[in-house]
Amino acid sequence: MMRFQIYVLGATLALLTACTSRQNISNIQAYQNIVIDSNINDDATFKEVIAPYKNELEKQMNIKISHTSVELNKTGDNSNLGNLLTDYTYDGALAWAKANNILNIDGAVINIGGIRTIIPAGDITIKQIFEVMPFENEVVIVKLKGSDLQGLFDYYLKEKTNNPVSHITIITEGNNLKTGLISGQKIEKDKTYYIATSDYLAMGGDRMYFFGKGEMIGTGIKLRELFIEKFKENKEVKVPADLRLDLK
């Protein structure tokens, strides 16, 4: 019986195949890739359409929002731009926390690689903040037990990377952690801490895997938008001068 069923099925498929009309390809055309470079002429109509929008965008981007008497850069363990932006991250997270029944933010961490360029001495424009922070990262608050927060100090001891911090002091020498403080105090293992950072780092970016032991609390605040608002609030930049990182 099984052989008969297989035979009938095979015959049916053959019949259906025989009755199907063959699909022929009637036309084949070869196309050549077009290289987009400076040799392509501008489309005058397109330029005319976008001109008003381009002009308005450039106008908005060139608005002065602050001023700095010194170059803001990302050089060294205590880079002035890194420390400034981390303080802005801390302040923004603290304001959000107080409005959402979290009493305090204990510290803040951002990554130096996310700061893409310097800000020269002089006027600061919105365009420059977009150049400094071109990414759509958000402020995240990570709730950690003190025993898990120890991973932060272990990270800096191992990596010796100058990722900027705020309200945190880390001094290392070789394989030894000489100083590890949160808001000037040693970690209490059973205490709960709230650390402000970016969603990138909170999810393990730059190998900050210790954040994975905590609870992530989203704020919905875009880092770049926060920085723009903070620069607007501070018409003359005051560069932080306190020691935060000393990684040897």
Side-chain angles (χ1 to χ4, degrees):
M1 176 63 81
M2 181 62 71
R3 290 182 180 179
F4 178 73
Q5 290 174 338
I6 294 173
Y7 172 78
V8 171
L9 177 60
T12 302
L13 291 173
L15 180 62
L16 289 173
T17 303
C19 294
T20 302
S21 60
R22 184 180 297 275
Q23 301 295 321
N24 295 319
I25 300 175
S26 59
N27 185 25
I28 299 176
Q29 295 183 1
Y31 292 90
Q32 183 178 2
N33 291 331
I34 298 175
V35 178
I36 299 177
D37 57 22
S38 58
N39 295 320
I40 296 179
N41 296 325
D42 290 334
D43 187 311
T45 302
F46 180 72
K47 288 184 67 177
E48 183 179 353
V49 170
I50 69 170
Y53 304 100
K54 181 181 178 182
N55 293 338
E56 180 61 25
L57 179 60
E58 290 178 349
K59 179 181 176 182
Q60 295 297 321
M61 284 292 179
N62 289 318
I63 291 176
K64 173 188 171 181
I65 58 174
S66 188
H67 181 273
T68 176
S69 60
V70 298
E71 177 186 273
L72 302 176
N73 60 60
K74 47 188 281 186
T75 304
D77 288 346
N78 289 277
S79 63
N80 55 10
L81 182 55
N83 287 353
L84 183 68
L85 296 183
T86 317
D87 283 352
Y88 287 169
T89 302
Y90 177 91
D91 293 342
L94 180 61
W96 185 93
K98 289 183 175 179
N100 289 272
N101 300 317
I102 298 175
L103 296 179
N104 191 38
I105 297 297
D106 298 286
V109 182
I110 63 174
N111 63 310
I112 197 70
I115 303 172
R116 306 305 288 183
T117 188
I118 68 167
I119 298 178
D123 292 341
I124 301 173
T125 64
I126 291 178
K127 179 181 179 181
Q128 288 174 300
I129 309 307
F130 271 80
E131 291 171 344
V132 166
M133 180 60 61
F135 310 109
E136 294 296 319
N137 291 119
E138 295 187 3
V139 178
V140 170
I141 299 169
V142 183
K143 179 181 177 182
L144 287 157
K145 286 183 60 177
S147 54
D148 294 327
L149 185 56
Q150 181 62 41
L152 170 69
F153 300 110
D154 295 340
Y155 168 86
Y156 280 90
L157 180 61
K158 177 183 178 182
E159 299 291 339
K160 302 293 175 65
T161 302
N162 62 330
N163 286 324
V165 296
S166 178
H167 291 73
I168 297 172
T169 306
I170 304 174
I171 300 175
T172 66
E173 187 172 340
N175 295 322
N176 297 314
L177 176 67
K178 295 185 66 177
T179 304
L181 304 175
I182 301 290
S183 294
Q185 303 295 321
K186 292 184 178 181
I187 291 178
E188 298 178 29
K189 292 184 178 181
D190 296 326
K191 182 179 175 180
T192 298
Y193 292 86
Y194 294 87
I195 305 297
T197 187
S198 67
D199 52 353
Y200 169 72
L201 293 183
M203 292 187 289
D206 277 19
R207 296 182 293 278
M208 289 196 178
Y209 306 125
F210 59 88
F211 277 131
K213 296 181 178 180
E215 175 189 345
M216 287 178 52
I217 304 170
T219 67
I221 301 172
K222 296 287 187 180
L223 275 170
R224 183 174 58 233
E225 293 175 5
L226 173 62
F227 296 159
I228 290 172
E229 290 305 311
K230 288 298 178 182
F231 276 110
K232 287 180 178 179
E233 292 174 8
N234 298 275
K235 296 303 182 181
E236 185 66 36
V237 170
K238 295 181 180 179
V239 178
D242 56 311
L243 175 66
R244 305 181 184 190
L245 295 179
D246 187 6
L247 309 175
K248 297 176 182 177

